[in-house]
Structure formats: C-alpha cells, structure tokens
Amino acid sequence: MRFGVLGSTLMWSADGEQLPVGGPRVRALLTLLALDAGQIVTTERLIDGLYGDEPPANALNALQAQVSRLRRVVPGGEIEAHPTGYRLAVPSIEVDAHVFAQLAADGRHALSGGDHPRAAKLLREALALWRGPALADAPSEEGARLDELRITATEDLLEASLDDVTTVPELRQLIARHPLRERPRALLMRALHSSGRSAEALEVFEDARALLAEELGVDPSPELASMHLAVLRAEPTRPRRRLPAQLTSFVGRADERNQVAALLDAARLVTLLGPGGAGKTRLAVEAAGIVDGEVCFVDLAALAAGDQVAHAVVAALGLRDAGLHSTVPSGDIVERLVGALEDRSLLLVVDNCEHVIAEVAALLHTLLAACPQLRVLATSREALGITGETIHPVTRLSASAARTLFADRARAVRPDFVLDEPLVDRICAGLDGLPLAIELAAARLRTLSLADIDARLDDRFRLLSRGDRTKAQRHQTLHAVVGWSWDLLSPDEQAAARRLTVFVGGASLAAAERVCALPDTLDLLADLVDKSLVEVADGRYRMLDTIHAFCAEHLTTAEETAARDAHLAYFLELAQTAEPHLREAEQLGWLALLNTEHPNLLAALRRAVQTDPSAALRLAGELASYWYLRGLRAEVAPIATSLLDVIGTTPPAELSEEYVLCVLNAALVHGATAAWLQPHMAAARRIVSVQTTPPRLPAILVLWALTVGPLDLRPPESYFDDSGWLRALRDFSLGWNGLFAGDIPAALSAFERSLASYRAVGDRWGISNAVDSLAMLAQWRGSFDEALRLTDEAIALVSELGALEDMADLTCRRASRLLRSGDLPGALADYTRAEALARRTGIPETIAAAHLGLGDIARLTGDAVAARRHYDLALGASLASTVGASGVHCAVLVGLAHLDPSRIPSLRAQLLAAAPGLLLAAADIAEGLATLAALEGDRPQAALLLAASVVIRGTEPVADTHIARIRALIGPSHDADHRRGLALSRAEALTLAGVQSS
C-alpha cells in the first residue's frame, strides 16, 4: 500500500491501482495517520485534527465511527487500535510526504557537497511527488511546513541548475509567486552575474531593497547584501564549500541535523559533544551541508597533542600558498588567519578537538573575537569551555533510527537482508544505539547471521573488530574508538572509570564516592562527564554499555574485589535504613529510592550469595518488605532459592528472621508445599514457634500469613504496643480470624480498627488491604457501589506504590464484584485489564483468575468455544501452587461442568482432591459442589450444600447473581433441605464441603 498527502489524499494498492478513500472525514483521518505512519497517533490529536475547536459531545464515539469507515476502505488490517490512539501500520517510506522529505534532504546535501547533477536529479524526483497543496484534506501547521519545504526544494533545484539557460525565467516566475523571499533573488543575481549580465543583477537587488523597505520596513539580508557586493566587485558569486564527500546515506538524524543548523543561526560557536562512535562528525558534515554560505572543514584527528592547531586550519583554508609554513611562529599564523577571516562570512567545521582541546579553545577564542562573520561548528568528546559556546549533546540513536541505520547498512552488504525488528532492536540496544557500533555490526552480516551477532554481543569488542580500512585507525574498531578516549584520561580519572563499572543502572554521588574511594571523586566524575565517558542525569552517573565493557576490562582483580565489597556494604546500609520507613507515611519516597537502586541491590545480592552468604541473607531480609510492596516476588524467588542452597537449614543464630524471610520468598512463588522446600519450611516453623517478641523484620508476619496462614497471635497485648503498624497488622489478622470462624461482625470490627491504625501511620499497603477486606464484606451485604468505591481506593493506593501484582489482583477482584452484581460489560473490561497486568507481572494465579472470569462471561453470554479456551488457559497457569490459585482451580472445574455435564463425576473428584485445608476458599467450594449437584439433578443435595456455604461464610451474599443462578438451578421446592443445611454447625458444613476444619 502507498499513500499520498501532497495534495488531496490518495491511496494505491501494491500493484499501483488507485483505490477509493471515502468522504471528507475519512480522508482527513487517513491524512493524519499517514503523517505519522508507523507511529501511534493519540485520540486527542485525531479528534483535534478532525473537528478543531468544536468537537462533538461524543467525540470519542465519532472518532471510532470514522476509524470503522476507514478500515473498510484500507484493506489488510493496517489501521491498528492502541490504548492511547491509532496507528497506520505501514513504513513511512510508503507515504509520499516522507519520501519527499528524504529526497529533498538528500538533494540539499548533494548540493552542499558540489554534486549538482545528483542534487538536481533527487530534487526533481522529490518535487514530482506533489499534486497540490500539502494535506489538502486536513489543513494544519504541518501542511504549511511541508509547503515551505516544497519552496525550499524548488530553490535548491534552481541553484543546482544555475548553468541551465531555462533557470533565469524559472527564477523570475518563482520571485513573482513569492516576492518577499530573498533567496530566489540572490540566485537570480548569481545566474545573471555568471552569464555576464551584471547590470541586470544589480537591478534585481535594487528592486528587492525597495520592496523590502516598502512592505516590511527592513533592509536586505546579509546574504543578499553580500551577493550585491560580490557583483559590484566582479567577484565569483558561488561560495566555496570544502566538506568531505560521504559514501553512505545519512540515516536517522535528519531532525537533529536541522536542529544543529538552527543553532548555528543563533550562536556563533556550537560544539557537538558526545562519546566516540556517536556520529558527531557525520552530523556536523550534514548540518554544515544545509547551511548557506562558505564552509570549510578542518580535521584535527591526525594532530599529536601539543601540535599547533592553527597550521591545520591554514591548510584547510588553502592559505599555505601565501608563504606560510609550519616553521613560522604560531603567532604569525594566527595573525594571518585573523587577516584572512575578519571580513569573511564563513562556517568553520573543526572536527575531533578532544586531544588538543586547550589549543583549539585558545585559537577559536581569538578568531571568534576578531572575525565577526565567522561561525564555528566543533566536534569533541569534551567541551571547549569558551564563553558563548552552545553545547549540543550527541548520544545514542533512537530505537527506530538505530533500526533504520542497521537495515540500511545491512542491505549494503547483504541485498537479500530481511529485517527482523525485535532482533535488530535488541542488537542496537546492546550497542547503545551508537552509529559506529551499529555500522560495524551490520558489516559483519557478510559472514554472520543476525542471531550470531546477537549471541556475541557480550564479547562486543571482538565481534566489532573489523571496520572500514579507509577510516581513521581509531574508528576502524569499537575498541579503538573507546581506547582513544581512555588514553586521554589521567590515572585518577581512569581509576574512577574502572571502579564505576561495579554499578548496575548508574550510581548516585554518595554511592560513587563510597565505592570509588578516591580523593576529589566529585571532580573526577565531572571530568569524566566533560569527556563523554560518563552521562549524568537527575544526579545519577551512568556509562554507556560499550564504555562500561571497555573500562571493566581494565579493572584488576584486587581493585574489583575492594570496589564490590564497598558496593555491597553501601547498599546493605541503604536497605537497613530504608526498611522501617516502608511502613510509614514517607514510604513513597523510600520506595522511589529503592526502585532507582533496585539493579544495584540485586547485583550486590547476587554476588553476596556466592561470596558472603551471611551478608546476602541480611540484605535479602532487609529488602523483603520492599520486594513484597513492589510485587517483585517472581524476580527474587530464584535468588532466594540459590541462597537457601548455600545456607542449608541451619542459619546463623543472629540471622534467623532473615532466614525465615528467605524461605517465605521462595515459597511465595514455588508454593509452601514444594517437596524441595520442606526441610527449610520445617526449620522456619521451628524458628517462628519460639518467637515471643515482636520480630525485627515485621514482613515475616505478612508473608507467613500469605504463604502458610496467620501466625498464632496469642502473646500479651504488650507484644503490639511498640508500633501502631504492628497493632494495625494484629487487627487485620484478627479480622481474617473472624472470617475463618464465620464471625462477620467481629471481622468487620477488626478490619475497621486495622484501617484506622494503618491510616494513622500512613502505610498505603496496609490501608489498601484493610479497604479491600471491607470491600469484600460490602459485596456480601449487597452494597456493590460501596464495594467498588473501596476497591477503587485500594487500586489507587497500590498504584502509588507501583505494585503491579497488587494492581492486577485488585483489578481482578473488582471485575469479580462487577460480575456478581450483574455488570457483564464492566466485568469484561476489568478482567481484560487484569489479565494484561498479570501478564506483565508473571504471577500465574492472577492470570488464571482473570481467564476464569473471562471464561465465565463467555459461558454466560453463550460463547462456549471462548469459554472453554479461557478455562483451559486458566488450568494451564500453574493453579495448584498456592491457596488462592487452588480456589480458582476449583471454580474453573465448576465452569467446565457447565459446558459438559457428562464430566461432572471426574470434575467433582478433582475438586475434592484440591479442597482439604482450603479454609479461605471453603464457602466457594461448597457453592461449587452445590452447582455440580444441581447440574446432575440432585437438587436436595444442592440446596444443602448452598446452605452450608452460608454457614461457612457466616453470612449469605445479598443480590449476588452467582448465587441467584445456583438457586435457579435448584428450583424453589427445596426450602426444607436449605433450612436443614443452615442448621449445620460450621464444622459439619466444612466436612460436607470436603474441607478439613482443623
């Protein structure tokens, strides 16, 4: 598919057939999507583009209707819906506006390099794409920008064709259409002057001066005035542009090139600052190529430190023919340069300044002060430090630009190259988005596959050891690129760079000072930032992976051991300081700090598991609360497992609580009943059974309750006097004890006390849990609005914590409450959202619960195929690993019984096999068994079991559509059986449900 927006909006099939687009709104929508082809366009932008300042009241619905119409005319599913908007899923090269912009840029670059025939060819191709005003079906500022680019491309084409006899009349026509534009007049003056018609050229200038004064009240621009002066002096009018020709296409940084060119309009000294291989030289050449006027390129790479930079500038300007030689004193050369440039409008591109930075700074300071029309574009790995210097950082390419560059260079060596976007993106990310590294990697496709390159990224310097032999030695391999910068560092700077490599994800100043352990670490870090070896943002110091790998190679064994020991000590102290604050009002700030340092914390922990198990156990214990609050159990369980293998079942006496937490972190994912974990669970039970004082690490109380069940809270009240948080947790546990006992009033009172205490200390996690429990009781009362309000509060609280696992769980419970209230559309939306969140966290029981709900909705709406698919997905999500997952497992079995009643005997056997000990799910199990009995026609037993669920729960859910459906299956004639069930004791009801009451 191809799309045209340079004129009215058109669309062509792959074989070139023009396809109908539709009405005005549909054409406007396609225009907006095509402008950002391949990118998501937000609904806000689309609504604004379609309806302007007066959108309809139902703007979102109106937009969706237009999208539906557009999908009917755009075949192949190219219009994709996303949570924030829509996307035209085609490469930008399939849209004429993007093709035009690239051709015009390439043409202008060829023009700046003096290749006028190629420039003219490219520009004619670009202009041939136009069929009328840009974005005719969706006028906007972008359309005006494209129209301006069209005029500029026309001017470029005429400049490239100045030797053509038809150019003069074409320039006069262009001036007639745009009388206030000065560039066409300057070009016309050049054309006339070059052909011996200087008098006419002077008339063009006089006409321009009069018109500008009359219409705008301004004088001609310096460029037009310079052309006038050149004509008067009978000088050549074509400026000299000494830029190195480029052998490859310029990919990925067109916008940045334009930004740099714009900076040169506003500042006289612009420095492109960045690490080796970032593409500074190419960007400088490209930016200089689109700047009007004379340009001179000076490459300083070949100079040795201490050489006189002035000689290189003299040579680049071609001034040696005036008798200047390298033996002439430097001062005379500088004076000669000033004399040559003081009245000259020139852009001086000075490349590779870092190794002669002092000499460059001194020379450029002198030249800029003495030569008012001189501009300088410098490239360096260190700022020049001159007053008035404008810094433009050049770092990594964006993901899309890096992908495009890789594909372009890959096709140069492998014309049959097929782009594998995920794999190429991973390779480019592994190479830090550095253009040189990407080009070197793409060149290896001559002998390696994409998968081979990806697999060898850890050994990147060996992989990228072959490059373009024509390039400077330092740019032939990635190792040489970084080595060039490394050799310019002082010994202390090198030491700081080496020691920074023990950090993962960056370092704060305090952490860097502790680990680097060097005098004046702050100043050394500043020097490394100035020299582009380290990046600093938001107070954190980071290295690109490529530089990190190089510096790590230079880290000695002894130095690495000392640095990593200091790293572990620092982050253990940080975790110990943060742990108590995670249960207080300031928990968000501490969570944010630990989030930032999470990669470093895990790196310290993983190393300590191997080198210092006691320190690892201590660090893991201090982080247990953080891990749980952030929902990181799946990530840390493997580390906990490895640590248990090292520690065994007899931890150091002073670390018994830390050991219990390590066991619980493993059990949260693997299940407390996992066979390999039983010796550790037994050791943990022995430890907690003799606990008579509040734990130093209260996370034990929470994780034990979640994994094994509530701890016996029989110690005296003084056990809880030390902390409002502990008292809140005690009341929360008492609330669940009330639920286990079927005492709803006691549970309600305990949960309300717990909520008050949690609010007093400001613990959002505790508040969310208490609120969620109260939401469950409100649901049972039939107060669904209150239940949803409380659930929404809980979701808002855990979203502040960034706890994705809890957000997924709560969203799933919200969906269940909507389903039981009869709101199937609302439940469907929430279950879908919960499933997406659960996929991100990787917790199987939440994934299973979401698919259970989606299966129930599909079954209730008559879609048996979808219901079976969701139930099967739920069954495949490791359902037996935890108590909650086992409850979901039972509910899935009941859902399958609805779809196929012939399977009820085997399904009942599976349900009863999973039931023993599941007090939390006992009432739901009794409801499930009641459903199975009703489906088989045993209505008396079904009525009895449904009553048993009421006894177990302690209350009968009000206005619950799930219960209503079970009652409808039973029918109205079994009240006596229901009353008989209500008369059961709780122990009898549990026995009837197959659940052990002990």
Side-chain angles (χ1 to χ4, degrees), residues 505-512 522 525 535-542 596-597:
S508 66
L509 175 59
L522 175 59
L525 291 173
E535 299 174 338
V536 61
D538 300 323
R540 293 186 64 77
Y541 296 87
R542 296 179 178 86
T596 300
E597 297 295 3

Side-chain angles (χ1 to χ4, degrees), residues 101-113:
Q102 186 62 56
L103 286 171
D106 291 344
R108 183 157 230 217
H109 178 65
L111 178 64
S112 68

Side-chain angles (χ1 to χ4, degrees), residues 703-723:
L703 299 188
W704 191 277
L706 289 169
T707 310
V708 182
L711 281 168
D712 186 358
L713 300 179
R714 290 178 298 177
E717 284 292 306
S718 61
Y719 183 99
F720 298 98
D721 284 349
D722 296 336
S723 166

Side-chain angles (χ1 to χ4, degrees), residues 947-967:
S949 74
V950 175
V951 173
I952 294 169
R953 187 178 287 114
T955 187
E956 183 170 11
V958 178
D960 189 311
T961 59
H962 178 64
I963 300 297
R965 283 188 288 271
I966 300 175
R967 284 180 172 166

Side-chain angles (χ1 to χ4, degrees), residues 447-767:
T447 55
L448 297 176
S449 69
L450 274 178
D452 291 333
I453 292 174
D454 182 48
R456 288 165 169 76
L457 275 184
D458 287 342
D459 194 9
R460 67 189 66 199
F461 294 120
R462 186 185 300 274
L463 170 69
L464 307 182
S465 61
R466 296 181 182 178
D468 184 347
R469 293 187 181 90
T470 66
K471 289 188 175 181
Q473 181 64 35
R474 71 189 190 288
H475 276 177
Q476 288 184 18
T477 73
L478 191 61
H479 197 278
V481 169
V482 185
W484 170 266
S485 294
W486 176 263
D487 292 340
L488 298 176
L489 300 180
S490 70
D492 279 352
E493 289 170 341
Q494 290 179 346
R498 290 193 303 268
R499 296 172 193 181
L500 279 176
T501 62
V502 304
F503 289 97
V504 180
S508 66
L509 175 59
E513 288 180 321
R514 176 79 167 270
V515 171
C516 291
L518 291 163
D520 303 320
T521 297
L522 175 59
D523 292 337
L524 292 173
L525 291 173
D527 291 339
L528 291 174
V529 171
D530 288 343
K531 296 174 181 178
S532 300
L533 270 294
V534 171
E535 299 174 338
V536 61
D538 300 323
R540 293 186 64 77
Y541 296 87
R542 296 179 178 86
M543 284 180 166
L544 295 178
D545 289 347
T546 300
I547 294 171
H548 185 281
F550 181 95
C551 296
E553 286 183 354
H554 292 71
L555 194 64
T556 66
T557 301
E559 189 177 33
E560 180 179 8
T561 299
R564 292 196 182 280
D565 286 346
H567 181 270
L568 172 60
Y570 177 86
F571 286 105
L572 176 56
E573 289 177 15
L574 175 65
Q576 290 170 330
T577 302
E579 202 279 337
H581 295 288
L582 298 178
R583 293 179 293 280
E584 299 172 354
E586 63 266 32
Q587 65 186 169
L588 290 183
W590 285 95
L591 279 173
L593 175 59
L594 293 179
N595 289 343
T596 300
E597 297 295 3
H598 183 55
N600 279 309
L601 291 163
L602 284 187
L605 179 59
R606 289 191 177 101
R607 175 176 178 269
V609 169
Q610 304 301 321
T611 62
D612 190 348
S614 293
L617 203 57
R618 188 174 289 111
L619 180 56
E622 298 293 346
L623 291 173
S625 290
Y626 165 69
W627 287 336
Y628 182 73
L629 287 174
R630 287 285 290 112
L632 299 172
R633 48 186 167 166
E635 183 174 356
V636 301
I639 304 176
T641 301
S642 298
L643 185 53
L644 290 175
D645 289 341
V646 175
I647 293 289
T649 57
T650 308
E654 72 278 8
L655 298 177
S656 59
E657 288 188 13
E658 288 82 352
Y659 173 79
V660 172
L661 282 169
C662 191
V663 173
L664 294 174
N665 274 314
L668 278 171
V669 171
H670 297 292
T673 60
W676 70 269
L677 194 57
Q678 291 315 296
H680 296 289
M681 287 301 305
R685 283 190 176 91
R686 288 193 296 272
I687 292 170
V688 299
S689 66
V690 297
Q691 185 87 24
T692 58
T693 58
R696 290 179 295 105
L697 299 169
I700 287 178
L701 300 172
V702 177
L703 299 188
W704 191 277
L706 289 169
T707 310
V708 182
L711 281 168
D712 186 358
L713 300 179
R714 290 178 298 177
E717 284 292 306
S718 61
Y719 183 99
F720 298 98
D721 284 349
D722 296 336
S723 166
W725 188 89
L726 279 174
R727 184 172 294 280
L729 181 61
R730 173 182 182 270
D731 284 329
F732 185 71
S733 300
L734 290 175
W736 279 97
N737 285 344
L739 293 180
F740 297 149
D743 188 346
I744 301 302
L748 176 62
S749 177
F751 286 140
E752 288 175 340
R753 294 195 306 273
S754 174
L755 177 59
S757 296
Y758 277 132
R759 289 196 192 279
V761 298
D763 178 11
R764 292 162 180 80
W765 173 86
I767 296 170

Side-chain angles (χ1 to χ4, degrees), residues 299-305 307 312 351-352 355-356 472 474 484:
D299 185 1
L300 304 180
L303 298 185
D307 277 4
D351 192 33
N352 297 300
H355 62 302
V356 285
R474 71 189 190 288
W484 170 266

